[in-house]
Amino acid sequence: MRSLLNACSARTNRWTLQDAKAKFSEVVQRAVDGQPQCVSRHGKDVVVVISYADLSEAANPPENLFDFFQASPLAGVELDLERAKGTFREVEI
């Protein structure tokens, strides 16, 4: 997922909307080859073109949330989860 978030950092993977439309086949081929392509409009990044395989991988991580927390370096750390006793102050909204 991190590589997808950094897609706009590489100059070779950047397109203006006009250029992306004119060379759409090349944009798609680069995305299929594993290089996310960033498209800008009016000087601002607006979309990233990625392959379906990259989307599937990002949407379906290899481990579930339970496994993620079990593998955490903080697994087994004792936490004080006791709630504070007493009254709480009232806040005007």
Side-chain angles (χ1 to χ4, degrees):
M1 181 62 106
R2 183 141 329 267
S3 64
L4 298 179
L5 295 175
N6 294 328
C8 296
S9 62
R11 275 190 161 304
T12 58
N13 298 341
R14 299 180 65 82
W15 302 83
T16 63
L17 181 58
Q18 294 165 311
D19 290 341
K21 289 193 299 186
K23 298 186 176 185
F24 189 65
S25 293
E26 184 178 349
V27 172
V28 170
Q29 187 58 52
R30 286 184 182 190
V32 168
D33 290 341
Q35 303 170 30
Q37 303 297 299
C38 186
V39 181
S40 62
R41 179 174 58 189
H42 305 297
K44 295 189 179 212
D45 297 329
V46 291
V47 297
V48 177
V49 180
I50 62 172
S51 70
Y52 187 81
D54 286 344
L55 175 63
S56 295
E57 183 179 325
N60 299 309
E63 62 185 350
N64 62 34
L65 188 59
F66 179 78
D67 293 336
F68 173 79
F69 284 121
Q70 284 293 323
S72 167
L74 299 176
V77 171
E78 294 290 326
L79 298 176
D80 180 14
L81 299 177
E82 186 176 319
R83 290 182 177 253
K85 295 179 179 155
T87 59
F88 295 95
R89 64 184 176 107
E90 291 187 24
V91 178
E92 289 185 38
I93 298 178

